[in-house]
Amino acid sequence: LAASYLIELFDPAFPQGRQDPELFDLIEGAIRLIDKCPLPSIPTILAGIELRFLRTLGLLPGLPGCRECGEDGPAMFMPKSGAGFLCPKHATGGEGSVREPISRWLARVDATPGKDWARLQSSEVAEESLTVLGNWIARAVEKQPRLRRLAIG
């Protein structure tokens, strides 16, 4: 199921006739990793793959700081469009607040080598972080991938 979700996620990034070796290497490595990982670690591994996918497409700003200025702090906000976080200075109103542990968890997964994702502990913060990341993915591919909820659990 996780591999099917990744195919669904990556497919729009490979328009007919366009080759992208970096994305191909990412999905090939991702499917190999999922095949070998313990079942409970799949949501964290998928989060890491999604973060790498966004970064490869140029859609992931630096984490955990503000995507506009890089400032990091306990009060961060979810932008209305795109990925990343906004500090209070750059939030324009109407954005949802994001707890600091969520931005930290996503930054930790992003900074961790893929081979070590299975060792990261899952937690309540991880579950909330997966929701935030799911919003970023939906914005990036301009739809909610239908298999994501089933693959993440």
Side-chain angles (χ1 to χ4, degrees), residues 16-57:
Q16 189 172 2
R18 179 175 169 247
Q19 297 179 10
D20 191 324
E22 188 176 3
L23 274 177
F24 181 80
D25 288 347
L26 178 60
I27 193 164
E28 181 183 36
I31 290 172
R32 285 185 183 159
L33 184 60
I34 285 172
D35 186 46
K36 296 177 181 179
C37 76
L39 194 58
S41 64
I42 286 181
T44 301
I45 290 170
L46 288 176
I49 295 164
E50 289 173 334
L51 288 165
R52 295 293 195 280
F53 175 75
L54 291 172
R55 184 166 311 290
T56 301
L57 295 178

Side-chain angles (χ1 to χ4, degrees), residues 86-144:
L86 296 171
C87 68
K89 183 170 92 180
H90 289 103
T92 58
E95 295 94 347
S97 64
V98 176
R99 297 185 315 125
E100 183 179 20
I102 293 171
S103 60
R104 295 264 176 241
W105 188 86
L106 289 167
R108 188 171 75 240
V109 173
D110 187 42
T112 300
K115 64 182 176 61
D116 296 329
W117 287 331
R119 294 187 191 123
L120 294 175
Q121 296 295 322
S122 187
S123 67
E124 178 186 312
V125 171
E127 290 178 24
E128 290 181 62
S129 301
L130 289 168
T131 300
V132 168
L133 185 52
N135 288 331
W136 295 350
I137 289 294
R139 292 172 183 171
V141 298
E142 298 178 349
K143 68 177 184 174
Q144 185 67 49

Side-chain angles (χ1 to χ4, degrees), residues 138-153:
R139 292 172 183 171
V141 298
E142 298 178 349
K143 68 177 184 174
Q144 185 67 49
R146 56 185 188 86
L147 295 177
R148 185 179 192 272
R149 187 174 43 84
L150 298 172
I152 296 283

